[in-house]
Amino acid sequence: TKTYMGPYDLTDWLCEQGRFGLKTPDKSIGANGRGIFIHKGRDKQPDPEVAAQMEKIRQKKGITARAIPDDEIVERLFFPLINEGFRILDEGHAVRSSDIDVVYIF
């Protein structure tokens, strides 16, 4: 069973609906922006139509929603950076690992 939706299903739907966040007001609901969130002034709240569309995509693809623990989020963010650092060293684009560390800081 897949545990992810893929990068484009929801964003394609948002674009097809003309929902580009703060760039697209929706006067019918009094929002000065609509995308994944409904923006009203400085407040924003998740759009229930987007949540419903996410559920449709999940069902279509057989995806089960689950809570993602903090350590998994950290791993998903940092492991690709670490692996890319090793590739940069292996390909000779950087001389020392400290050269890569400086890039990540800035």
Side-chain angles (χ1 to χ4, degrees):
T1 307
K2 282 187 176 181
T3 58
Y4 64 94
M5 287 196 290
Y8 306 115
D9 299 311
L10 185 63
T11 53
D12 284 350
W13 178 82
L14 286 166
C15 291
E16 289 164 5
Q17 301 297 310
R19 294 183 180 195
F20 303 106
L22 286 170
K23 299 176 184 175
T24 50
D26 187 344
K27 293 179 183 174
S28 68
I29 61 169
N32 51 331
R34 193 166 192 183
I36 293 174
F37 297 98
I38 296 172
H39 298 270
K40 293 184 178 180
R42 292 181 160 259
D43 296 327
K44 70 178 180 182
Q45 60 189 26
D47 190 327
E49 290 179 19
V50 174
Q53 183 64 24
M54 284 193 316
E55 187 56 37
K56 284 183 194 175
I57 293 168
R58 282 189 194 113
Q59 288 177 359
K60 182 175 95 175
K61 294 189 169 204
I63 297 168
T64 304
R66 66 181 180 93
I68 301 175
D70 290 347
D71 60 333
E72 184 177 342
I73 293 170
V74 170
E75 288 173 4
R76 286 184 182 196
L77 291 172
F78 285 109
F79 284 3
L81 292 173
I82 294 166
N83 289 334
E84 190 61 27
F86 282 122
R87 277 190 214 104
I88 289 168
L89 282 171
D90 189 47
E91 294 170 1
H93 298 294
V95 178
R96 297 173 298 278
S97 59
S98 60
D99 297 338
I100 297 168
D101 292 341
V102 171
V103 171
Y104 288 147
I105 293 171
F106 297 100

